[in-house]
Amino acid sequence: FLFLISLSFGSFALYALMRLHYLIHALTVHSLSDAKSGKKDIAFNRLVKYLFAPFEELQPLSEWQAKKIQRLSEQLIVERENSKRFDILNVLRDQLDHYNEESVVAQLVVNIVAKYFNAALVLVLLHDIENRELYLYAIEGNLKNLVPSDYRQSVDAGIMGRAARLEKVQVVNDTSQDRDYIKLKDEKIGSELFVPLIEHGNLRGMLMVAIRKKNAFSAFDVRVLETVAHELIKAWQRISYSHRMRALIQSNISLSSSLEPYTAVEEIATVARATLLARVVFVALLDQDGAFTRTSSLGHAPRLLKYLSQDLMDNPILGVALRTQDVLRIRDINRYKEIPPPPLDYAFLRGVLMVPIRLHGINIGAIIAFGKENTIIFSEKDEALADLLASQAAAALESAWLIQELRVNANTTNLLYNLSIQVIQTDTIREAARLIAETAQKLTQSKLIGVVLFSNDNTVSTAIELGANGQLSMSKTIPLQFVEQTLTAGEAITMSAGENAAVIYLPIQTSLRKYGVVWIEFVDSERKIAAQTQSLKTLANQAAMVLERAMLLVDLRDQAEALKNALDALEQTYDQTLSALMAALDARDRETEGHSSRVGELACLIADAMKLDAERVGILRRGALLHDIGKIGVSDTILHKPGPLSPDEWRLMRRHPEIGARIVEGIPFLAKTMPVIRYHHERWNGSGYPHGLSGEQIPLEARIFAVADVFDALTSVRPYRQTSSDKEAFDYLEKNAGILFDPEIVAVLSTLLKNDAIEKIRTK
């Protein structure tokens, strides 16, 4: 706008000067002589003529004056043309913000440039760093049919290659005089201009403008096209950042649903590469004892990835990544003083982002990204995205760890429970030793398990060894020295067994007697023993207890009832453990805290009224406790969302029955609870989920639970609605009996309400 004002003012000033020149000429040549001779009227008329008459009616000027006017006129024409071309920037800026695809804005740029410069050909090409080539990305102009869609040109050839190597604008106003000019078939191009597209100091691509006539480009044109190139790079950066931010937000759902730490690490690597546009990504995760147990990588760089995967604990790159508290951006890792130059497969991998994964103020892993796509160096915006990614990764890993810990604890509890049952039912000490060894192997996956048990007179009663292949044999060489040390110390001891191997000895003892020793040989000893010591101690203690019970059962038949009570107490303890675990899970959602326990009590009350046997009632109780365990795999952002869920969020929420079933599957003690966990959202008319079962296709326990679940939900305090009375809740159930709920079970609930049975369990 200021430019146009200046141009208008200059034109007006030129016009005024020319009129002033004619006026002076009139005064000096004609008017003064007329005035002296008394011809005042003629002098006045002549002045008016020189002031207001068209230029062509005035007397001819001198040759110098004519040339000056011609130059000024030509300059005015050039300035008008420049003004017209300057409009390209205003048009471009107005339109670029309306599009959100890189290819679209590139095509928009070539269209506008071709129009305003009347160009025969306008190209945008992208830089292929690996192959040192520029390839066609967008094209416009009346010669565009002469350029194939797969056109590529080496950066070592032509004027374009020269511009790419120098990373400077190249203007050729006479192509016939430039030895680097590459002719386009039979067409004659007089002028060519190449503007490198530079992003963060690296070549991203090239803008080419070709015009048929020679000397087509002025210095002003160069400045305009440089600005166009800058605007294109800015638009690409905006679009890329927007796309990556959207993808990162969407990836939060997939990260939060990862149930295994290794799966989570692989997902983190995938999301990191897409978000940071990295050529190579390496992710390493620490376990709870500070050792690297899980890694994942993406991208082709064999030497670099091999270097990162070996000696994880002593790797200098991982060391720096784990010491930093914030995202670290390195322009050239070969020049970074704190790290020796790593073996980079390609030079374009030297730009690095180190992203620490921090949980509760502690580094638990790191994401390392090498070489940004289409360029080399990562930007400040990449740092910001990496910081968000690290937060999401930490939350996903914490969730995966909690799920894994829950499954490990449930599996360990199940193994110990089965050991208790099986040892008590054995008739011989050798069989008890076999059961202890097999349980230890299932728990540790170790290469060798040994068990020695002593009789009442402290002589060896049995000694067995169990290999990694599951083959059982009598132990021929009992490590008596270490066995005696273990029994004397009364606690676990660890001994070296060669390179990268160790054996842990654990006493099998109670306060009454020392029964024997179990020993386990580990490879990669320090990490595995540290991770499993507590579980092994629990196993030894459990083995001692069940051995004691088994021997007492053999020796004292009259204590059979006492042993049965002890077993019941153990089962009750297991149920209490489940209750405590599920109470912790319920506490995750404060609105439903205590819901699982209350529903379990009501469901068991209905089951008792329907004369179900004790085993089915117990299954129903555990199923009620665990029915929402699958929600541990659902993101907190969905669970605690204040407003209604979107269709995608509902789809994820409705996965929790299947997630819960997968968590408990493979655990025999909990396997029978799976119908309640999997089908508790099915409805009598088939409108439920996840499988749309109807009527008696739905397991009875799940139908009972559904009635108890809805009744408790309606009569419990919720911040988003008023609490219903027992009558209002039952009226709803009765209204939907035969539609959503089993009418027989609703009728049983009616009887319980009339007998005040439900009120009794509330006040119990």
Side-chain angles (χ1 to χ4, degrees), residues 331-365:
R331 294 183 61 86
D332 188 347
I333 196 169
N334 290 327
R335 299 182 180 180
Y336 192 65
K337 296 181 180 179
E338 296 188 26
I339 300 173
L344 299 179
D345 298 74
Y346 310 101
F348 51 73
L349 296 178
R350 64 182 184 272
V352 177
L353 266 184
M354 294 187 181
V355 188
I357 303 174
R358 294 172 60 79
L359 183 62
H360 305 306
I362 300 174
N363 286 20
I364 62 170

Side-chain angles (χ1 to χ4, degrees), residues 88 109-122 140-141 209:
I88 185 175
V109 166
V110 298
N111 291 348
I112 293 177
V113 171
K115 173 184 175 182
Y116 277 84
F117 281 81
N118 193 25
L121 196 62
V122 180
E140 186 52 58
V209 183

Side-chain angles (χ1 to χ4, degrees), residues 21-22 25 50 55-63 65-66:
H21 170 79
Y22 283 121
H25 180 75
Y50 275 98
F55 283 116
E56 58 270 17
E57 296 180 6
L58 300 176
Q59 292 184 2
L61 301 176
S62 66
E63 182 180 350
Q65 292 169 331

Side-chain angles (χ1 to χ4, degrees), residues 39 46 80 130 157 160 181 298 312 334 504 529 580 600 608 620:
K39 300 177 181 178
R46 193 183 302 277
R80 286 175 179 172
E130 291 92 336
M160 186 187 302
Y181 173 65
L298 287 173
L312 290 170
N334 290 327
I504 183 171
I529 290 178
D608 286 333
L620 183 58

Side-chain angles (χ1 to χ4, degrees), residues 266 392 711 723:
E266 290 185 328
Q392 290 187 188
F711 184 83
T723 305

